[in-house]
Amino acid sequence: MDSHPTKMSEKVSPNISDSNMTFVENNAPLPVRHSGVLFNSREFVQIDGKRQILNLGYESEGVSALNITFDIKDNQAISLTGCPYSGVVFLAAVTPSDFNGFLRNVCQHLKARGIEEILIKQSPIFVWDRWYPEADETFLEAGFERVQVEINHHIPLGQPDYMSSIHLMQRRKIKKCMEHQLIFKEEKHHILAQAHQFIEHCRNQQGLPINISLRQLLKTVETLPEYYRIFTIRNQKNSIVAATITVKISDSIVYNYLPAFDRKYKTYSPLALLTFQLHERLGQEGFKYLDLGISSIEGKPQKNLITFKQRMGAIVSGRVVYHRKL
């Protein structure tokens, strides 16, 4: 995505740091072509129109370097509800001093609006090329505390011999799937309802809910069709045995949003084949990372899921939620 947005601020607040950046309140979240991550974009946020949104940024000569979008609910500022992560967007190289100043300005600005607490669901480190090691420390210096650290995993794409990084057990499963002629396929959007029904069925087999309704999924994909894709593994009878819906969250990252497989095919592990084929396909298309998401429910680790991801060559990348009372 282009990281040089045009100037869109409508209100400038006093800058309480020594930075040469200008702290601004924008009239809306940045458009998707400038937002860095889809989840923070104007188009994604506005799918649900019943929200009170506040966007704050640090700009240099009208170009955004740091940006964050909040849902305002009563006396809380939350970045953001309804998405796996959002948080501070790094659109240009900044110093620890710049970042500290931005966070201080954010806190002051929100406090002046009557906000009493802030919750930031920060994106994993690998999302940002410009992330620096001191970022977590800077959050803490600015008065935030870590209230949750989720176990997140991602797979680097474009590996010339990805199969060698996969655990021997999973390699055998992949080979077994291929021997039984299970087929990887990218589907058209017209099967979205069928895919949702299949994924919901698989989640029910585990006693887990699906975290998006069909109505909301249809609306989201209709609004942003180029960002959502459906991939399946089908058997020789053309029945779906595994499926996922992926989300392009940036030009380099695809989020594996809703993976699922029918437990009747557990001995085949079609999710292993699906993950392997996603690596091959997305890597060929030039993406850098496949984000596999978190492996926990309400903060409790899912040991089997963690083991599966690690055996598929995934790398651990924490997803931190920061909180501060004002």
Side-chain angles (χ1 to χ4, degrees), residues 258-276:
L258 291 171
F261 74 98
D262 191 332
R263 257 50 194 178
K264 291 187 295 184
Y265 286 82
K266 186 176 181 179
T267 58
Y268 290 86
S269 192
L271 213 55
L273 177 61
L274 182 58
T275 305
F276 173 78

Side-chain angles (χ1 to χ4, degrees), residues 21-292:
M21 299 280 186
T22 302
F23 183 72
V24 299
E25 178 181 328
N26 295 304
N27 55 22
L30 299 179
V32 67
R33 66 185 182 279
H34 300 313
S35 63
V37 168
L38 177 68
F39 300 137
N40 299 77
S41 72
R42 179 184 305 174
E43 292 85 344
F44 186 85
V45 170
Q46 291 181 347
I47 291 172
D48 180 359
K50 301 175 182 178
R51 305 171 75 162
Q52 184 180 352
I53 296 296
L54 178 65
N55 181 270
L56 304 173
Y58 238 14
E59 294 182 355
S60 177
E61 298 181 353
V63 176
S64 186
L66 294 167
N67 196 272
I68 190 168
T69 302
F70 291 101
D71 280 297
I72 305 300
K73 293 188 175 184
D74 299 323
N75 63 348
Q76 289 185 317
I78 305 170
S79 179
L80 268 167
T81 60
C83 61
Y85 51 75
S86 50
V88 178
V89 176
F90 295 80
L91 296 171
V94 294
T95 66
S97 177
D98 289 331
F99 190 31
N100 184 283
F102 177 63
L103 293 176
R104 288 166 59 201
N105 274 283
V106 166
C107 292
Q108 176 183 268
H109 191 78
L110 291 173
K111 186 174 182 178
R113 293 176 65 102
I115 299 300
E116 297 179 5
E117 59 180 326
I118 306 171
L119 198 69
I120 296 177
K121 299 190 295 181
Q122 188 61 36
S123 54
I125 292 174
F126 72 89
V127 171
W128 303 109
D129 293 335
R130 301 179 181 94
W131 183 275
Y132 55 92
E134 299 88 351
D136 177 71
E137 181 181 333
T138 306
F139 268 110
L140 303 182
E141 288 176 351
F144 289 85
E145 61 176 338
R146 303 184 201 95
V147 292
Q148 198 169 40
V149 181
E150 300 277 14
I151 300 171
N152 198 88
H153 288 85
H154 66 279
I155 296 176
L157 301 175
Q159 301 177 62
D161 186 16
Y162 169 53
M163 185 67 82
S164 66
S165 70
I166 299 174
H167 190 279
L168 182 59
M169 179 183 296
Q170 298 306 123
R171 288 188 230 171
R172 290 170 178 162
K173 297 285 188 181
I174 293 169
K175 183 179 179 181
K176 183 176 181 179
C177 287
M178 292 178 172
E179 288 174 346
H180 285 78
Q181 298 181 7
L182 299 187
I183 302 298
F184 172 76
K185 182 179 180 182
E186 180 170 2
E187 308 282 353
K188 301 295 185 182
H189 281 171
H190 67 78
I191 77 146
L192 191 59
Q194 181 187 359
H196 184 277
Q197 182 181 36
F198 173 82
I199 294 166
E200 186 173 33
H201 167 72
C202 295
R203 295 288 174 92
N204 287 339
Q205 288 177 326
Q206 297 177 275
L208 301 174
I210 188 169
N211 57 8
I212 187 170
S213 69
L214 175 58
R215 180 179 179 181
Q216 184 65 23
L217 182 61
L218 288 170
K219 183 178 180 181
T220 301
V221 175
E222 181 180 353
T223 304
L224 297 163
E226 67 271 35
Y227 291 88
Y228 285 78
R229 299 166 75 175
I230 307 166
F231 296 96
T232 63
I233 299 294
R234 291 179 178 265
N235 63 18
Q236 295 180 53
K237 295 181 180 180
N238 205 35
S239 298
I240 298 174
V241 299
T244 191
I245 296 172
T246 65
V247 188
K248 174 187 170 183
I249 65 168
S250 75
D251 287 340
S252 59
I253 302 168
V254 174
Y255 179 54
N256 196 22
Y257 178 35
L258 291 171
F261 74 98
D262 191 332
R263 257 50 194 178
K264 291 187 295 184
Y265 286 82
K266 186 176 181 179
T267 58
Y268 290 86
S269 192
L271 213 55
L273 177 61
L274 182 58
T275 305
F276 173 78
Q277 295 288 11
L278 282 175
H279 173 277
E280 301 299 286
R281 171 70 65 85
L282 298 174
Q284 290 170 3
E285 294 175 359
F287 291 100
K288 294 181 180 179
Y289 301 107
L290 176 63
D291 184 356
L292 301 183

